[in-house]
Amino acid sequence: MRIKSIAGQSAQPEVFGQRRIGVLGGTFNPPHLGHLLIADQVYREFGLEKVVVLPVGIPPHKAQNVVLGRVLREQMCALFCQERSFLELCTMELQREGYTYTVDTLRAFERMRKPDEKIYYIIGTDTLFLLETWKEHEVVLSGRLCAFICVPRPGDAPAQVLQKQQELQEKYGVEILISSGQGPDISSTKVREAFLAGEDVSGMVPGSILRFMEENHVFQGA
């Protein structure tokens, strides 16, 4: 699959008889160590060839007054992708006008990917329970455009997660893999609030991104 890449090369040979491409989407407002831990976990656990970092353009579900502009988030995501050789930046959604919908991006990936590649869209369990609210969710969950890797979050009820996984798979035919790991209790909101309060966030974001935030005085108007 040919996509715009700023950092990273394929770091793992073909496995499982198919090249698995992970896609980690989000506002990345800012990217933080929780994102990095999730990428590390799923890359190893599911034998991914690479993890594509996909910052959204204008997310329909976010308050716009706290989302940084596209250029700043692209620059931070480029720094983030330098943290691991298997991370690769795709700016497709940043370049798109209007609101960003995952189904449009998945269709674009479908046109570009090679026959031996399969897309695994990486989500948290909070998103798992919201998939049926997505635009054209029947298409997204058909299994034709992608499968999903779901990373549990702190405080999840495992039985409810497994029940939802099974329900969606049986209803729509999509493949949903549940990671054995767990995402950390870090969010972009916590990073922003702590940073603006003058607290030490060095344990929450990569050093290069912290320096960028400090030098560019980000989130000052949030």
Side-chain angles (χ1 to χ4, degrees):
M1 180 175 64
R2 296 175 60 83
I3 61 177
K4 182 175 179 181
S5 172
I6 292 180
Q9 299 293 328
S10 297
Q12 188 163 319
E14 181 173 324
V15 292
F16 299 109
Q18 193 172 46
R19 297 168 61 200
R20 296 183 169 195
I21 310 298
V23 176
L24 183 60
T27 52
F28 296 104
N29 188 49
H32 52 70
L33 291 177
H35 294 127
L36 192 60
L37 187 149
I38 288 170
D40 283 339
Q41 170 68 24
V42 299
Y43 171 74
R44 293 191 305 266
E45 183 176 2
F46 298 105
L48 303 181
E49 180 174 306
K50 59 188 173 184
V51 175
V52 175
V53 175
L54 183 72
V56 303
I58 302 177
H61 59 291
K62 295 281 186 177
Q64 295 305 305
N65 63 330
V66 298
V67 177
L68 289 176
R70 300 170 191 237
V71 173
L72 287 174
R73 288 188 292 118
E74 178 178 346
Q75 291 172 328
M76 287 194 293
C77 285
L79 292 171
F80 178 78
C81 286
Q82 293 174 9
E83 295 292 318
R84 298 290 187 271
S85 62
F86 61 83
L87 294 177
E88 187 172 285
L89 177 61
C90 175
T91 60
M92 179 190 301
E93 293 192 345
L94 289 176
Q95 296 167 358
R96 187 179 298 147
E97 295 298 325
Y99 286 122
T100 298
Y101 295 102
T102 302
V103 66
D104 299 324
T105 301
L106 291 175
R107 283 180 171 132
F109 282 173
E110 175 70 11
R111 292 191 294 269
M112 294 185 294
R113 71 174 181 85
K114 298 176 181 177
D116 64 339
E117 291 178 334
K118 184 170 182 177
I119 302 298
Y120 284 82
Y121 202 92
I122 302 162
I123 59 174
T125 44
D126 56 334
T127 301
L128 178 69
F129 288 88
L130 296 174
L131 286 175
E132 289 178 290
T133 70
W134 284 15
K135 179 184 178 183
E136 297 186 55
H137 68 273
E138 298 93 341
V139 176
V140 174
L141 295 173
S142 68
R144 180 175 61 83
L145 298 178
C146 74
F148 286 90
I149 293 174
C150 182
V151 180
R153 296 166 61 90
D156 280 342
Q160 292 180 5
V161 172
L162 293 175
Q163 181 180 353
K164 191 64 178 179
Q165 172 203 29
Q166 193 170 42
E167 173 190 321
L168 293 174
Q169 290 186 138
E170 292 176 355
K171 184 176 180 180
Y172 298 101
V174 66
E175 177 187 10
I176 302 174
L177 305 177
I178 306 294
S179 174
S180 62
Q182 185 180 85
D185 190 19
I186 301 175
S187 69
S188 294
T189 299
K190 288 184 178 181
V191 173
R192 290 196 305 272
E193 290 175 349
F195 180 73
L196 287 172
E199 300 174 10
D200 180 13
V201 297
S202 59
M204 302 171 74
V205 296
S208 61
I209 293 176
L210 176 56
R211 289 190 294 273
F212 181 91
M213 291 165 61
E214 292 172 338
E215 292 169 1
N216 290 274
H217 309 288
V218 298
F219 306 115
Q220 295 302 316

